[in-house]
């Protein structure tokens, strides 16, 4: 501080003097307005209200005694107060327990685990699928129809769909078998991603996946956006112009509407994530030629009227690979 003061009196800028000493200007300003040495590693005298070693041990003994070992400090302090005992505040209990390496979850409750994010890479169709079930409203209150949907994340194509009156694993197994048969996935690696619903986690579906050679993949608990492709599809369905104004009266009506939506989505819907080609065009390998034709058309238009173009033409190139939940740094770098 004395060196900085001398430099300022000599005509130097304060922030320049701080830089020479390896300090930030904000740190020096804070030190000037506080009493004593503000450095983190400074040796300071103990405060007058600090607990003695006997008092700290009394806090530890109280927190670990029978009947208190499973309680939090917010429960221990009032319970001791009812017995006419006051040792310290709740925050002091926490500090003493932390210093003794005892600031852990108390009782039988397990500490939360940080689960690894489920990430998969698809470089072509029928490599990574996602699936989910959503409700379709009916005219009877409390009654719903269940739309089972399987989607290819590479092409965004709906490869298998069914509507039923109940939600069960048998229907899910039949849907998966039909999808694998229709897309001829036998002998090829395929990942099926889903959330943690009881149907998705059931042993019946797991056995069916093993028989079909499909690798299961699940979202993290209580993380709904791990299955974002499926959720985005349901949002598109329920907010598109095809969505009916009234609930479905019968199961047949619901099935007919879903079939109509699938035809529109796969064959006519120009997907924004696919550079506005349809899922079927991407799935069948036609998207590359279409996008190259668009790029050539834009280049011709630019050459014909260069004054109307401030920069290069629009990028019509699709990524070679699609990732499920690309949150890891190495995956993000690969996508860049």
């Amino acid at each position: 501080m004395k060196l900085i003061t001398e430099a300022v009196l000599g005509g130097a800028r304060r922030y320049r003097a701080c830089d020479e000493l390896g300090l930030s200007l904000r740190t020096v300003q804070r030190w000037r307005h506080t009493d004593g040495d503000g450095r983190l590693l400074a040796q300071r005298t103990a405060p007058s209200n600090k607990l003695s070693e006997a008092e700290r041990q009394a806090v530890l003994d109280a927190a670990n005694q029978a009947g208190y070992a499973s309680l939090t400090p917010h429960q221990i302090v009032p319970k001791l107060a009812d017995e006419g005992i006051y040792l310290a505040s709740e925050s002091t209990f926490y500090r003493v327990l932390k210093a003794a390496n005892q600031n852990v979850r108390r009782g039988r409750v397990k500490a939360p685990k940080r689960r690894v994010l489920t990430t998969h890479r698809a470089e072509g169709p029928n490599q990574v699928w996602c699936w989910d079930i959503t409700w379709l409203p009916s005219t009877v209150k409390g009654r719903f129809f269940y739309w089972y949907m399987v989607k290819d994340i590479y092409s965004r194509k709906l490869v298998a769909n069914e509507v039923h009156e109940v939600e069960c694993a048998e229907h899910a197994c039949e849907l998966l078998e039909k999808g694998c048969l229709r897309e001829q996935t036998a002998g090829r690696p395929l990942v099926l991603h889903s959330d943690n619903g009881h149907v998705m986690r059931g042993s019946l579906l797991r056995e069916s996946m093993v028989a079909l050679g499909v690798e299961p993949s699940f979202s993290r608990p209580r993380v709904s956006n791990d299955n974002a492709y499926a959720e985005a599809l349901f949002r598109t369905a329920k907010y598109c112009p095809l969505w009916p104004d009234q609930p479905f009266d019968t199961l047949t009506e619901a099935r007919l509407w879903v079939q109509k939506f699938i035809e529109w989505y796969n064959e006519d819907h120009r997907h924004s994530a696919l550079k506005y080609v349809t899922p079927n065009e991407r799935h069948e390998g036609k998207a590359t030629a279409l996008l190259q034709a668009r790029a050539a058309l834009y280049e011709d238009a630019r050459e014909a009227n260069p004054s109307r173009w401030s920069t290069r033409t629009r990028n019509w190139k699709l990524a070679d690979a699609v990732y499920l939940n690309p949150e890891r740094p190495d995956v993000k770098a690969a996508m860049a």
Side-chain angles (χ1 to χ4, degrees):
M1 294 295 290
K2 292 180 179 178
L3 290 174
I4 294 174
T5 302
E6 291 176 2
V8 172
L9 293 176
R13 300 294 295 271
R14 189 179 300 277
Y15 78 93
R16 295 285 189 186
C18 295
D19 289 341
E20 291 295 328
L21 295 175
L23 299 172
S24 69
L25 178 61
R26 182 66 187 88
T27 298
V28 174
Q29 291 173 344
R30 185 174 65 253
W31 289 355
R32 291 177 62 194
H33 294 87
T34 56
D35 296 331
D37 196 339
R39 294 174 295 175
L40 295 177
L41 301 179
Q43 298 294 328
R44 301 180 180 85
T45 58
S48 58
N49 61 348
K50 181 180 179 180
L51 294 180
S52 65
E53 289 301 324
E55 291 173 325
R56 296 173 68 88
Q57 188 60 45
V59 169
L60 291 174
D61 293 341
N64 293 315
Q65 64 179 320
Y68 290 79
S70 63
L71 304 180
T72 66
H74 286 283
Q75 297 170 313
I76 295 173
V77 172
K79 190 172 181 180
L80 288 174
D82 293 341
E83 299 175 5
I85 301 173
Y86 180 84
L87 298 177
S89 65
E90 289 88 340
S91 58
T92 302
F93 262 80
Y94 276 112
R95 284 195 297 270
V96 173
L97 290 172
K98 182 178 180 181
N101 293 324
Q102 297 184 24
N103 191 22
V104 295
R105 284 183 174 263
R106 304 169 66 83
R108 298 181 60 197
V109 179
K110 295 182 179 180
K113 295 182 180 179
R114 184 174 181 84
R115 299 179 181 270
V116 178
L117 185 66
T118 303
T119 302
H120 297 287
R121 173 189 174 104
E123 298 178 341
N126 300 326
Q127 294 182 3
V128 182
W129 289 355
C130 65
W131 83 284
D132 204 352
I133 304 172
T134 191
W135 296 355
L136 298 178
S138 73
T139 53
V140 179
K141 186 176 181 180
R143 178 195 181 198
F144 298 93
F145 302 116
Y146 297 91
W147 177 10
Y148 296 67
M149 176 277 301
V150 179
K151 180 180 181 181
D152 188 299
I153 72 165
Y154 176 80
S155 63
R156 308 313 201 269
K157 179 183 177 180
L158 299 178
V159 295
N161 297 266
E162 285 185 355
V163 181
H164 298 284
E165 291 186 306
V166 295
E167 184 178 359
C168 65
E170 288 79 3
H171 293 324
C173 293
E174 294 175 2
L175 178 69
L176 180 59
E177 291 174 3
K178 291 178 181 178
C180 292
L181 181 62
R182 184 180 299 122
E183 296 297 325
Q184 300 179 356
T185 62
R188 292 186 291 172
L190 173 63
V191 174
L192 181 64
H193 183 80
S194 66
D195 56 26
N196 292 277
H198 69 280
V199 174
M200 293 75 171
R201 284 284 188 179
S203 59
L204 182 61
L205 181 60
R206 178 65 64 89
E207 293 176 0
S208 178
M209 294 174 70
V210 171
L212 294 169
V214 178
E215 177 187 348
S217 173
F218 298 99
S219 302
R220 292 168 294 174
R222 297 173 297 279
V223 183
S224 60
N225 58 0
D226 273 5
N227 198 14
Y229 290 98
E231 300 297 340
L233 182 278
F234 290 143
R235 188 189 187 285
T236 300
K238 296 181 180 182
Y239 286 88
C240 74
L242 297 178
W243 185 255
D245 297 330
Q246 300 296 327
F248 300 102
D249 189 33
T250 63
L251 178 62
T252 302
E253 288 184 6
R255 287 175 172 173
L256 290 175
W257 182 88
V258 168
Q259 184 61 37
K260 180 180 178 181
F261 172 80
I262 294 168
E263 293 175 358
W264 169 81
Y265 185 86
N266 285 342
E267 300 175 7
D268 298 328
H269 176 56
R270 298 188 178 275
H271 205 293
S272 59
L274 302 178
K275 300 292 184 179
Y276 298 97
V277 298
T278 65
N280 268 353
E281 291 169 344
R282 172 75 158 172
H283 199 79
E284 297 169 2
K286 301 177 181 178
T288 302
L290 290 172
L291 295 175
Q292 289 176 350
R294 289 184 193 175
L297 178 64
Y298 271 57
E299 288 294 341
D300 293 341
R302 181 183 181 184
E303 291 179 3
N305 295 284
S307 60
R308 297 178 181 176
W309 301 80
S310 58
T311 58
R312 58 187 177 183
T313 60
R314 184 172 180 175
N315 179 16
W316 288 111
K317 185 178 180 181
L318 272 172
D320 296 329
V322 177
Y323 291 87
L324 178 69
N325 305 324
E327 295 295 335
R328 295 173 180 169
D330 54 338
V331 176
K332 288 184 177 180
M335 293 184 65

